[in-house]
């Protein structure tokens, strides 16, 4: 009887500690599940968001979109199977190796005029035909073409320079000072050097490796 009473007293003394441990486990499980939901929402938002477009003071086309910052442990849960397969082939283990990924769809469009010059197009060593020669030699577009009326044929070579820079940084949404208390968001920004180039879509994810227990507790 005395042994049973002592055991109950010991259990009663340890009960608050056990409850605290249980609450801690439940708290971290709740946080992890909440993070899964937030990661999924962030990926979906980043994948289908409308990107911000504008021209800077130098006349360069720019585009900006928010980045999905996801827990590396949830990569297989929140990313599509197709994207997972693509990334696995490139980087291997998503959780350990992948730092960030960006998918950019861009296009180049514009108008140009070029005058034709009379020239001669040599079909072979025995036959030459009159032709029109066209040439553009700009910084962003190089084009050479020969039109042969008798053959009703245009032969052309072209090269479009499509250089751009991508910046990743943190930015508060909205305009100052109204965004003073808003949380900073990770964004990706593109700067195009070709004036005819623009971003049609921009999807970016960044893997966040979680720290240890102490760091997570005070995050």
């Amino acid at each position: 009887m005395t042994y049973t009473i002592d055991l109950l007293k010991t259990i009663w003394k340890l009960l608050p500690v056990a409850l605290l441990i249980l609450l801690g486990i439940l708290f971290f499980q709740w946080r992890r599940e909440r993070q899964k939901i937030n990661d999924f929402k962030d990926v979906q938002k980043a994948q289908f968001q409308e990107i911000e477009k504008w021209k800077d003071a130098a006349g360069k086309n720019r585009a900006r979109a928010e980045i999905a910052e996801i827990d590396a442990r949830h990569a297989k849960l929140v990313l599509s199977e197709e994207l997972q397969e693509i990334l696995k082939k490139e980087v291997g283990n998503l959780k350990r190796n992948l730092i960030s990924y960006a998918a950019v769809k861009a296009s180049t469009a514009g108008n140009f005029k070029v005058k034709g010059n009379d020239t001669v197009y040599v079909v072979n060593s025995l036959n030459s035909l009159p032709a029109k020669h066209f040439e553009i030699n700009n910084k962003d577009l190089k084009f050479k073409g020969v039109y042969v009326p008798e053959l009703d044929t245009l032969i052309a070579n072209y090269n479009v320079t499509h250089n751009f820079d991508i910046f990743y940084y943190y930015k508060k949404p909205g305009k100052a000072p109204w965004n003073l208390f808003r949380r900073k968001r990770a964004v990706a920004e593109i700067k195009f050097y070709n004036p005819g180039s623009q971003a049609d879509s921009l999807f970016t994810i960044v893997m966040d490796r979680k720290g240890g227990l102490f760091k997570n507790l005070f995050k």
Side-chain angles (χ1 to χ4, degrees), residues 121-129:
Y121 180 70
V122 178
V123 178
N124 52 52
S125 59
L126 300 176
N127 190 10
S128 299
L129 298 176

Side-chain angles (χ1 to χ4, degrees), residues 33-44:
E33 292 302 316
R34 187 186 66 172
Q35 185 64 48
K36 288 181 183 178
I37 296 173
N38 292 338
D39 287 349
F40 183 80
K41 288 181 178 179
D42 284 348
V43 168
Q44 293 300 306

Side-chain angles (χ1 to χ4, degrees), residues 1-109:
M1 185 67 177
T2 304
Y3 174 78
T4 304
I5 295 174
D6 291 339
L7 179 61
L8 290 175
K9 288 181 178 180
T10 303
I11 294 174
W12 181 256
K13 290 179 180 179
L14 295 177
L15 183 61
V17 177
L19 289 175
L20 287 175
I21 293 174
L22 179 61
L23 287 174
I25 293 172
L26 292 175
F27 173 74
F28 283 111
Q29 287 182 340
W30 171 77
R31 282 196 59 180
R32 184 169 183 179
E33 292 302 316
R34 187 186 66 172
Q35 185 64 48
K36 288 181 183 178
I37 296 173
N38 292 338
D39 287 349
F40 183 80
K41 288 181 178 179
D42 284 348
V43 168
Q44 293 300 306
K45 180 182 177 181
Q47 202 161 12
F48 300 104
Q49 66 184 311
E50 290 289 334
I51 62 176
E52 180 186 356
K53 301 179 183 179
W54 77 98
K55 284 185 180 291
D56 61 18
K60 301 287 192 304
N61 281 331
R62 290 188 180 238
R64 181 191 295 131
E66 286 189 1
I67 293 175
E69 296 180 277
I70 66 173
D71 188 334
R73 295 173 298 178
H74 304 155
K76 292 184 178 181
L77 176 68
V78 301
L79 300 182
S80 66
E81 292 184 4
E82 181 181 0
L83 180 56
Q84 287 184 45
E85 290 301 319
I86 293 174
L87 294 176
K88 280 181 181 178
K89 291 179 181 179
E90 298 295 331
V91 302
N93 190 307
L94 300 186
K95 179 180 176 181
R96 294 181 180 178
N97 299 342
L98 184 64
I99 298 173
S100 66
Y101 164 80
V104 181
K105 291 183 179 179
S107 60
T108 302

Side-chain angles (χ1 to χ4, degrees), residues 152-187:
D152 193 24
T153 301
L154 173 65
I155 303 172
N157 296 310
Y158 68 91
N159 180 274
V160 178
T161 302
H162 199 62
N163 297 338
F164 56 87
D165 296 330
I166 302 182
F167 308 91
Y168 301 102
Y169 60 95
Y170 284 92
K171 182 182 188 321
K172 286 187 177 181
K175 294 184 177 181
W178 317 113
N179 62 352
L180 178 63
F181 298 105
R182 301 193 67 176
R183 184 173 68 89
K184 286 185 176 181
R185 294 285 297 176
V187 297

